[in-house]
Amino acid sequence: MGEVIRTRRDIRDLKCECGRESEHEKDCKLMELDNLVWAFDAIQKLDPNDPDSFFVIAGYHGQPFRGAGYTNASWWGGYCNHGNILFPTWHRAYLLRLEKALQAHARPGAVIALPYWNETEQRSLVEGIPKIFLDKEYKFTTFSASDNKTIRNPLFSYKFQVGITDRLKPNPGANYTKPIDYETVRFPFSGLVGTPHDTKDTLFHNKEMHDLGEDETNRMLNGNVTTWLNFSHFKNSDGALVEAGVNDKFNECLKAPNYTVFSNTTSAQRWNDDHLSKKNPEPVVSLESPHNSIHLAIGGFQVPGHRNYDRVAGANGDMGENDTAAFDPIFFFHHCFIDLMFWKWQVWKGKTKSLDIIQGYPGTNSVDSQGPTPGVAGGTWLTLDSPLDPFKHSDLPPDRFDDPTKATTSNDVVNIEQLNYEYYPRPERPLMIPIAQKVPFLTVSNIDRAKIAGSFVVSAWAGSGDGDKILVGTEAVLSRWQVTGCQNCQNHLDVRVHIPMEGWSRNDAKKLNFEALVHTRTPRDDRDGGIPQPGALNPIIKLGTHHLDHQASL
């Protein structure tokens, strides 16, 4: 007999917030949530050496580093793949490994399916993060009287059972060491405690935030998330209100023409460079792009104002850097939504049973973007048969994968129906796939990620003379602190961003003046106006309208 099919639902649905469920439906969903929290609490309490422990599984993504990247910044010490074609499939395998651990430590008889945080539904656009991630305590309601107790909410944060030490040297000012009992934080708090100086600044900053009160800091976090999802609303040359937020990027990425450019920002960047000069309708958006923005929204970046650094100076949440992002429990619910969008794209494109890549394309080599993961040599070509380390067939359904020692590959995780889970509601292929419209676009270049420590945001502004500039769009770059010392990840570190000017005509776009800014984590000194790091000092912005020349008379 095969395994039970697990149904992944919107986590807000489990809280029965819509008010339309019958009492029986409410009881079933609340029990599902109780079972999930119980299992999360269980794996967070496991010995940190236990392979099912939250510490071990969260640590697969970045810190604690291993392999050549343990002490050498020339290599990436985490297993996660970013900026290459393995980004969607590696994280799909990652969720399966977590789900397996949750199931192994669930209450007897419970079936655990990891819910997703639906980042594009109306309540997220209006309210932000679901309340379950903001409550510091959780009370079970559907168990026996003895088990209906209140516990520390394991979805709110994780407290390190052992410390981790950042042993990388090239950029000592960006130290991501975490001591034992460190508790993960989100915007507007800071989690930089790797040096005495960082610890002192963080204690001062976090006291200021705590003094504002929990309601206010939650309001700030939710306000930041909803702004990222909805920004920027502005009137175009026809006076129409235009939306250009992360919510829209999620919709746009579904139009990507092939898996290679859908899967990662490196490939999408090259595709746009190659095809926007061939009358392509508009820049391709990869799934990784809106994914990055949500990481930075929770981790500490605000939608840029006309400054060169975070408006809440000192906000450094764990979700904002690859090094420790997965230790924040919300990471897995965010990535469950990313996996849903991946599956939705597969359904739309008829790619549910197989994928294909453009061989040799940027984003298909181990040195692209972040650098080689442990055990992978520099210069290795990535394929759909590349191992998704550290995951094995033992992490997959045993009735379908009979060699538990074999490494999991992308081809193993293409079809979620073979992995014994589904999404509710089930994505359906539309009768007509939306077609991209031709619009002017901005290209921002001359940004050297090799000289920028940590994540950053690129923003593009438009104005007409002496009037106020308006924010046209942003691109979030989720990075690592020590990329400055990485000699094996120097391919495609010249960041180029393509931003469509939705709703603007060719002629009106040509009348505008444009400016690009790069907003880094660590301005040199607030007193100098927030000058960013060296790689972000001189971005170049260029308007592209050549693909609209035949519309010049419009």
Side-chain angles (χ1 to χ4, degrees):
M1 178 181 292
E3 290 189 354
V4 174
I5 301 299
R6 305 180 308 281
T7 302
R8 294 179 177 178
R9 303 176 184 274
D10 182 349
I11 195 166
R12 276 197 168 101
D13 193 31
L14 300 187
K15 284 289 287 183
C16 304
E17 295 181 357
C18 68
R20 295 190 297 270
E21 297 94 341
S22 68
E23 288 304 314
H24 175 71
E25 288 175 318
K26 287 182 180 180
D27 288 344
C28 289
K29 290 178 179 180
L30 290 173
M31 179 172 285
E32 194 172 336
L33 184 61
D34 276 359
N35 285 332
L36 174 77
V37 173
W38 179 284
F40 248 96
D41 183 56
I43 67 171
Q44 285 193 6
K45 289 177 177 176
L46 289 176
D47 185 290
N49 294 310
D50 190 307
D52 282 346
S53 70
F54 186 80
F55 178 81
V56 167
I57 293 173
Y60 286 152
H61 194 264
Q63 293 269 24
F65 291 151
R66 74 282 290 164
Y70 179 62
T71 58
N72 187 347
S74 292
W75 304 83
W76 171 232
Y79 284 115
C80 71
N81 281 270
H82 290 265
N84 66 49
I85 57 165
L86 304 184
F87 166 71
T89 52
W90 187 91
H91 286 85
R92 176 170 286 175
Y94 195 20
L95 297 181
L96 289 168
R97 179 64 188 94
L98 175 74
E99 227 168 25
K100 180 186 176 185
L102 292 171
Q103 185 64 60
H105 299 276
R107 287 170 60 86
V111 175
I112 303 297
L114 187 67
Y116 56 91
W117 165 30
N118 188 339
E119 295 163 10
T120 61
E121 70 159 346
Q122 187 63 22
R123 291 198 68 164
S124 291
L125 299 179
V126 174
E127 299 175 10
I129 293 173
K131 190 173 182 294
I132 183 67
F133 301 115
L134 302 176
D135 292 334
K136 294 183 177 180
E137 295 183 335
Y138 183 87
K139 180 174 175 55
F140 297 109
T141 60
T142 64
F143 300 152
S144 63
S146 61
D147 286 337
N148 277 343
K149 55 188 177 183
T150 299
I151 64 167
R152 174 190 168 279
N153 182 8
L155 307 189
F156 172 73
S157 64
Y158 169 68
K159 184 175 288 189
F160 280 61
Q161 297 149 292
V162 292
I164 58 175
T165 301
D166 187 343
R167 292 178 170 84
L168 304 181
K169 303 301 183 186
N171 187 14
N175 189 310
Y176 245 51
T177 292
K178 303 290 184 182
I180 188 171
D181 290 333
Y182 169 81
E183 187 172 0
T184 56
V185 297
R186 302 168 187 150
F187 178 87
F189 294 96
S190 175
L192 285 182
V193 292
T195 68
H197 182 269
D198 284 344
T199 300
K200 179 181 177 181
D201 287 350
T202 291
L203 287 172
F204 180 80
H205 173 83
N206 287 350
K207 182 181 184 304
E208 285 189 322
M209 296 300 104
H210 282 299
D211 288 346
L212 296 175
E214 187 176 329
D215 289 345
E216 176 61 15
T217 53
N218 282 345
R219 185 195 66 78
M220 293 169 70
L221 172 59
N222 281 325
N224 200 44
V225 169
T226 57
T227 302
W228 270 102
L229 287 170
N230 294 294
F231 96 94
S232 59
H233 294 73
F234 57 86
K235 289 185 177 180
N236 65 11
S237 54
D238 297 324
L241 197 64
V242 175
E243 298 181 354
V246 176
N247 177 41
D248 299 281
K249 283 191 175 185
F250 276 121
N251 293 327
E252 290 299 313
C253 77
L254 295 173
K255 302 174 186 176
N258 58 67
Y259 173 73
T260 301
V261 301
F262 168 78
S263 66
N264 73 95
T265 52
T266 305
S267 299
Q269 174 181 307
R270 177 56 180 269
W271 182 272
N272 288 330
D273 282 342
D274 288 347
H275 290 76
L276 286 174
S277 61
K278 299 177 181 179
K279 298 185 178 180
N280 201 52
E282 66 175 337
V284 165
V285 175
S286 74
L287 175 64
E288 194 176 16
S289 176
H291 151 271
N292 289 349
S293 296
I294 295 299
H295 267 278
L296 269 60
I298 296 172
F301 278 91
Q302 292 177 274
V303 171
H306 211 155
R307 300 291 298 276
N308 282 342
Y309 59 97
D310 311 354
R311 285 185 286 172
V312 177
N316 285 281
D318 292 284
M319 275 280 282
E321 313 294 340
N322 274 337
D323 305 59
T324 60
F327 284 102
D328 186 334
I330 201 172
F331 169 97
F332 294 97
F333 301 86
H334 165 52
H335 269 277
C336 196
F337 181 69
I338 297 301
D339 187 63
L340 169 58
M341 294 299 292
F342 177 22
W343 182 243
K344 188 173 183 178
W345 180 88
Q346 290 180 255
V347 171
W348 280 30
K349 299 295 184 179
K351 294 291 185 179
T352 59
K353 293 182 171 33
S354 65
L355 297 170
D356 46 69
I357 62 170
I358 305 173
Q359 294 183 352
Y361 208 69
T364 63
N365 196 282
S366 65
V367 297
D368 288 342
S369 189
Q370 69 176 13
T373 56
V376 179
T380 300
W381 290 106
L382 304 176
T383 73
L384 298 174
D385 287 319
S386 297
L388 301 178
D389 289 331
F391 310 118
K392 306 294 184 184
H393 278 191
S394 58
D395 301 318
L396 305 178
D399 58 334
R400 303 186 190 277
F401 299 90
D402 56 4
D403 184 354
T405 64
K406 188 175 180 181
T408 299
T409 70
S410 296
N411 279 325
D412 293 330
V413 297
V414 169
N415 188 355
I416 70 170
E417 294 174 357
Q418 299 293 313
L419 302 172
N420 292 343
Y421 75 91
E422 63 183 1
Y423 282 104
Y424 179 84
R426 293 174 64 91
E428 301 289 344
R429 189 173 187 178
L431 295 177
M432 182 176 295
I433 304 294
I435 299 175
Q437 300 299 310
K438 292 185 177 182
V439 295
F441 66 90
L442 300 174
T443 298
V444 183
S445 60
N446 200 40
I447 302 168
D448 186 357
R449 190 161 72 88
K451 297 179 181 178
I452 301 175
S455 302
F456 58 94
V457 178
V458 180
S459 64
W461 302 79
S464 54
D466 298 330
D468 291 337
K469 288 184 169 65
I470 60 172
L471 180 62
V472 177
T474 68
E475 183 70 20
V477 180
L478 181 65
S479 190
R480 46 182 287 203
W481 277 114
Q482 302 289 359
V483 75
T484 53
C486 182
Q487 299 305 309
N488 288 305
C489 54
Q490 299 300 312
N491 277 13
H492 311 295
L493 289 182
D494 52 332
V495 175
R496 290 170 60 85
V497 174
H498 302 87
I499 298 174
M501 296 188 66
E502 302 286 354
W504 291 88
S505 70
R506 169 189 178 278
N507 290 338
D508 283 330
K510 283 194 166 186
K511 298 175 184 176
L512 298 172
N513 300 315
F514 300 101
E515 179 183 12
L517 297 173
V518 181
H519 311 261
T520 61
R521 277 287 198 197
T522 51
R524 294 174 184 169
D525 190 334
D526 189 25
R527 291 169 298 178
D528 64 14
I531 296 176
Q533 298 178 57
L537 289 176
N538 299 298
I540 296 172
I541 190 167
K542 182 179 179 181
L543 173 67
T545 61
H546 45 272
H547 58 304
L548 301 174
D549 286 345
H550 66 290
Q551 298 178 350
S553 60
L554 296 181

